[in-house]
Amino acid sequence: MQTDDCSPLLQPSQPDLVIRVGKVTIGEKCRKKLPKIRKEKEKEKVVQAACALLNSGGGVIRMEIANETDCPLDLGLDLQEALTELILPSDIFDDFFDTEKQGRMFHIFVKSWRRGALPEDNSDKPPICSMCSSLYRRSGTSTICLNSRQAYNFLKIKKNNAQKARINEESGHQDILESNPAFQVFQSKKLEYGHILPFPESHSVEFKHFSTPKINQYVKKAIQKYTPAFANNKGGYLFIGVEDEDRKVLGCPKENVDRDSLQRVIAQAVSKLPVFHFCSTDARVSFEVKFIDVYKEEALYGYVVAVKIEPFCCVAFSEDPVSWKVNEQQEIVRMNMTEWIAKMMGTDPDFAEGFASQLSLSDSLPHCRKGMKHTAHLQQLLFPVSPGRWQYIPESLWVELSSQHKGLEELIHQQVRPASWGILIFSRSWAVDLGLEEKQGVLCDALLIAHNSRPTLYTILGDQDAEGQDYCNHIALTLKQKLVTMGGYTGKLCVMTKVLCLSPDISAMSLELYSSPIVYPLPYNLSGTQKIESLLQALVIVLLGFRSSLNHQHERILSLLEVPPSQQCVCLIPTWLRKDKPGHKDQGKIRTSVSPLKLNLVNVAEKVWHKRRIST
Ligand SMILES: [Zn+2]
């Protein structure tokens, strides 16, 4: 079914983003023997899938092993290097990738590229991964394509400059270009064949020579690369028809050059360069082309094509940057330049920092700087972790469920038994808690977060139902993605799924209808209190939808009431959950859509709130 060159494709109905890339040769020994084109093609699709997953909350790359081999396999050096390049400035492969062979399949488990909540973790780390920035800059006499981190820093500088001032040195730049010794040659009408130019290549001068008759094609490529490189710096000159090593004028033979069409090619190539402005202008890269006659033995031999490129106020690309993501329609798509910059600069709403940093940025609440502390406080209140003990939360719901459904207790005990301790969070519908559609026939859903295990979501059905699997997977995927993007969880994370059936006819008869087929490697286990607590903190943020609820009004009221900072967040829970759209007739009542799990959280919060009011 899979062909060798199939492009990466998302596998539907999985509890995680799973991208199939078809057949790939695995292992250094075998990859070394591959024909170059095939090797590059395979690498390209694996890196593209990895890039999309890093940018979309993480997931799994599924490869069918193309080569015949039984021994345990390494990935292959070229693949490993290409993947490591994606995660610069971090250069530790294992921080983001785990590999595992499962039968004829080879899996790469990809962790989300999300940055930590602490600003100091992020100073150098671009918010997204890219395969190529398409941003060229001059560095000495060479032209380099910026890596992701360099591009990130470059964009920050450009944005800063644009904010600081209008470009008041615009005329200054002109002077720099005109005081360049290359300017004299640029202005000249005629050069002798073999003449040695009196200036070398530099950060603002590049020599190129093409003896090919397909000159238009070559010039177009050179323009795409060098124009942005000079424009992003302080401007410069590109001389085509000069040998770079000895600065010798050779010219492009006149029979190869149609001046009108070449002029058009250059103008078109420049006009197609994607540009982005942090300033308020809509200027394009400005340039000037001259054809300087080259004479050989007093006859016209050809031309030097000289291009003067002005410095550009903001950012010029050679083409759209190459970066991928999984969109809402579950397709793997390439970002365009505008979206890429929005994500790189953190102005994209998806990437706005989470609750914790919103709190920490708030100046109106001086005690609230440490937003992280509040989340931790809330988590200890709502989902307390005590090593060595099992906790079923909300307790009241668990009591209710287990008395309503005979055999549920036994079934759940069977499931949690392999783990030593942890927390099981029940809801009549986790789907509703996450804003998804409820499903008939679901008795309850439970999220298992246990020591030394992978988080697992259980859906317990009253009767067999073929759609149970899709339902459970959909919740698990949504939950995982929200924990990462909204909750800001930065560890390796998966949510496994299991659909169980509690038959009412036969007591304690359980039926394991389905469980997720991909086995995640050990680093995906939650080991120890710290990991478990930070995941639960992310869960608090996700469940309470804090990002939308927190506003200045809340903060002000709480400050006026002189509520100590440690309890301010607790007070926000009932405020938010009771709040409905203004003017709504039920305004002030608890939202009807609020699930039992959330209601329970409200109760806990309100108890604490009342206790406090009584005690003061
Ligand atoms: Zn600009």
Side-chain angles (χ1 to χ4, degrees):
M1 277 196 303
Q2 293 284 345
T3 56
D4 284 1
D5 52 353
C6 85
S7 53
L9 200 68
L10 213 70
Q11 209 172 330
S13 312
Q14 296 288 319
D16 205 347
L17 295 179
V18 179
I19 298 182
R20 295 192 81 124
V21 294
K23 285 186 176 164
V24 176
T25 308
I26 302 295
E28 178 60 12
K29 217 171 154 189
C30 296
R31 288 197 63 77
K32 258 184 169 166
K33 292 179 201 151
L34 278 183
K36 201 179 165 209
I37 295 176
R38 165 106 180 261
K39 194 173 170 182
E40 285 302 309
K41 225 173 183 174
E42 288 186 359
K43 186 169 85 182
E44 169 92 13
K45 62 185 181 182
V46 172
V47 174
Q48 183 190 332
C51 180
L53 290 177
L54 284 162
N55 288 336
S56 311
V60 187
I61 305 172
R62 289 198 92 177
M63 307 183 270
E64 214 178 309
I65 302 172
N67 40 325
E68 291 295 328
T69 174
D70 290 326
C71 43
L73 295 167
D74 59 309
L75 186 60
L77 210 59
D78 66 317
L79 290 178
Q80 191 175 315
E81 278 171 2
L83 291 175
T84 309
E85 221 164 277
L86 274 180
I87 55 170
L88 281 169
S90 160
D91 53 2
I92 302 165
F93 181 83
D94 308 313
D95 281 355
F96 287 90
F97 305 108
D98 293 274
T99 58
E100 211 154 87
K101 178 178 177 276
Q102 288 170 10
R104 290 299 301 161
M105 302 305 275
F106 194 89
H107 292 154
I108 303 177
F109 298 86
V110 183
K111 191 187 94 159
S112 169
W113 178 258
R114 219 190 129 77
R115 309 190 297 174
L118 299 172
E120 56 265 34
D121 299 343
N122 301 328
S123 54
D124 235 14
K125 189 175 168 182
I128 51 167
C129 290
S130 308
M131 288 165 72
C132 174
S133 71
S134 305
L135 266 176
Y136 283 94
R137 269 200 88 183
R138 244 356 226 183
S139 170
T141 58
S142 51
T143 294
I144 53 162
C145 186
L146 302 186
N147 68 32
S148 197
R149 183 186 56 180
Q150 292 166 328
Y152 179 51
N153 288 331
F154 175 67
L155 290 175
K156 282 195 287 191
I157 291 168
K158 282 286 181 177
K159 189 179 179 182
N160 248 331
N161 290 350
Q163 277 166 352
K164 260 189 221 150
R166 313 270 109 226
I167 314 251
N168 45 16
E169 334 98 78
E170 214 166 287
S171 52
H173 279 313
Q174 194 68 34
D175 291 345
I176 291 173
L177 275 186
E178 289 187 5
S179 61
N180 193 310
F183 183 63
Q184 293 242 325
V185 173
F186 181 75
Q187 293 289 76
S188 60
K189 297 248 169 357
K190 184 180 158 188
L191 289 165
E192 277 308 315
Y193 183 90
H195 174 69
I196 307 289
L197 291 183
F199 52 89
E201 281 194 318
S202 68
H203 72 280
S204 55
V205 174
E206 174 76 24
F207 300 140
K208 282 270 151 217
H209 180 246
F210 307 121
S211 47
T212 162
K214 292 180 184 167
I215 182 119
N216 285 13
Q217 221 174 307
Y218 280 81
V219 170
K220 188 178 154 189
K221 275 204 181 130
I223 289 289
Q224 274 174 338
K225 179 172 169 184
Y226 293 100
T227 308
F230 284 128
N232 287 332
N233 264 39
K234 292 176 175 163
Y237 297 89
L238 172 62
F239 291 98
I240 297 163
V242 179
E243 204 166 69
D244 55 356
E245 270 170 23
D246 50 12
R247 307 167 355 229
K248 198 190 269 179
V249 172
L250 298 175
C252 309
K254 63 175 192 254
E255 58 274 18
N256 291 350
V257 180
D258 173 346
R259 292 174 47 157
D260 285 345
S261 92
L262 189 52
Q263 179 98 37
R264 252 195 326 274
V265 164
I266 294 173
Q268 246 173 31
V270 176
S271 75
K272 278 189 183 152
L273 297 173
V275 296
F276 186 87
H277 285 282
F278 292 112
C279 72
S280 53
T281 70
D282 57 357
R284 305 283 318 174
V285 175
S286 66
F287 68 101
E288 193 182 338
V289 183
K290 290 223 165 131
F291 290 83
I292 305 166
D293 296 341
V294 175
Y295 277 78
K296 192 178 187 181
E297 288 157 11
E298 302 200 358
L300 181 66
Y301 169 78
Y303 310 97
V304 162
V305 185
V307 188
K308 183 172 103 182
I309 297 132
E310 301 287 340
F312 189 58
C313 56
C314 295
V315 190
F317 291 79
S318 61
E319 57 176 337
D320 276 348
V322 187
S323 181
W324 298 80
K325 65 163 191 176
V326 177
N327 69 7
E328 277 176 22
Q329 289 75 43
Q330 304 282 291
E331 299 154 334
I332 302 159
V333 290
R334 185 172 160 182
M335 296 179 208
N336 63 30
M337 185 254 311
T338 316
E339 186 184 7
W340 185 80
I341 289 191
K343 288 198 192 293
M344 283 292 265
M345 302 314 289
T347 48
D348 183 274
D350 291 355
F351 278 77
E353 299 300 339
F355 161 65
S357 54
Q358 275 193 25
L359 262 186
S360 64
L361 289 174
S362 154
D363 288 330
S364 56
L365 283 179
H367 313 290
C368 246
R369 282 268 153 68
K370 298 267 180 289
M372 308 277 281
K373 258 195 191 158
H374 291 278
T375 325
H377 177 78
L378 272 178
Q379 171 261 313
Q380 278 154 19
L381 202 72
L382 303 170
F383 304 124
V385 174
S386 45
R389 269 190 60 200
W390 275 107
Q391 307 209 55
Y392 292 7
I393 288 175
E395 215 186 319
S396 54
L397 180 63
W398 168 240
V399 171
E400 212 178 296
L401 284 168
S402 51
S403 69
Q404 270 171 4
H405 306 291
K406 221 177 148 197
L408 180 66
E409 206 168 337
E410 172 61 24
L411 179 63
I412 292 293
H413 287 331
Q414 262 175 30
Q415 291 296 326
V416 303
R417 206 165 288 144
S420 54
W421 57 270
I423 181 168
L424 203 59
I425 305 167
F426 286 91
S427 174
R428 288 199 188 270
S429 169
W430 262 98
V432 172
D433 281 309
L434 296 171
L436 303 172
E437 211 170 301
E438 204 173 353
K439 181 176 160 53
Q440 295 301 312
V442 172
L443 302 183
C444 66
D445 299 311
L447 177 66
L448 174 76
I449 293 177
H451 176 57
N452 271 340
S453 317
R454 299 152 185 94
T456 306
L457 183 78
Y458 292 95
T459 285
I460 294 135
L461 298 171
D463 284 303
Q464 289 200 34
D465 183 344
E467 284 166 20
Q469 172 185 341
D470 275 354
Y471 166 83
C472 191
N473 283 345
H474 187 42
I475 303 176
L477 176 60
T478 309
L479 178 62
K480 186 211 152 175
Q481 298 225 298
K482 285 198 174 190
L483 286 169
V484 173
T485 54
M486 190 178 173
Y489 184 72
T490 53
K492 289 182 179 173
L493 178 66
C494 65
V495 179
M496 312 276 288
T497 51
K498 238 178 198 187
V499 180
L500 306 172
C501 181
L502 187 71
S503 170
D505 306 324
I506 315 150
S507 72
M509 165 72 180
S510 72
L511 213 54
E512 202 171 299
L513 296 179
Y514 165 81
S515 62
S516 31
I518 293 174
V519 183
Y520 287 80
L522 274 181
Y524 280 75
N525 274 4
L526 292 171
S527 46
T529 318
Q530 209 188 346
K531 263 191 175 179
I532 293 181
E533 283 193 332
S534 52
L535 181 61
L536 288 169
Q537 283 161 21
L539 187 67
V540 166
I541 296 168
V542 169
L543 278 176
L544 298 175
F546 257 123
R547 269 176 58 188
S548 53
S549 71
L550 198 81
N551 61 38
H552 290 293
Q553 210 178 353
H554 285 141
E555 291 174 8
R556 216 172 315 123
I557 293 168
L558 293 168
S559 303
L560 288 174
L561 287 172
E562 292 180 344
V563 177
S566 63
Q567 285 174 16
Q568 283 172 354
C569 300
V570 179
C571 306
L572 293 180
I573 301 172
T575 321
W576 174 71
L577 287 174
R578 287 192 187 289
K579 204 182 69 179
D580 235 312
K581 284 190 187 88
H584 193 277
K585 64 175 166 45
D586 291 330
Q587 196 179 351
K589 286 187 191 164
I590 287 183
R591 294 176 184 212
T592 43
S593 61
V594 171
S595 70
L597 178 57
K598 276 190 186 169
L599 278 182
N600 188 272
L601 301 184
V602 176
N603 290 338
V604 173
E606 280 187 333
K607 266 183 211 152
V608 175
W609 174 224
H610 284 306
K611 224 190 252 169
R612 225 208 80 76
R613 275 176 52 182
I614 292 161
S615 71
T616 47

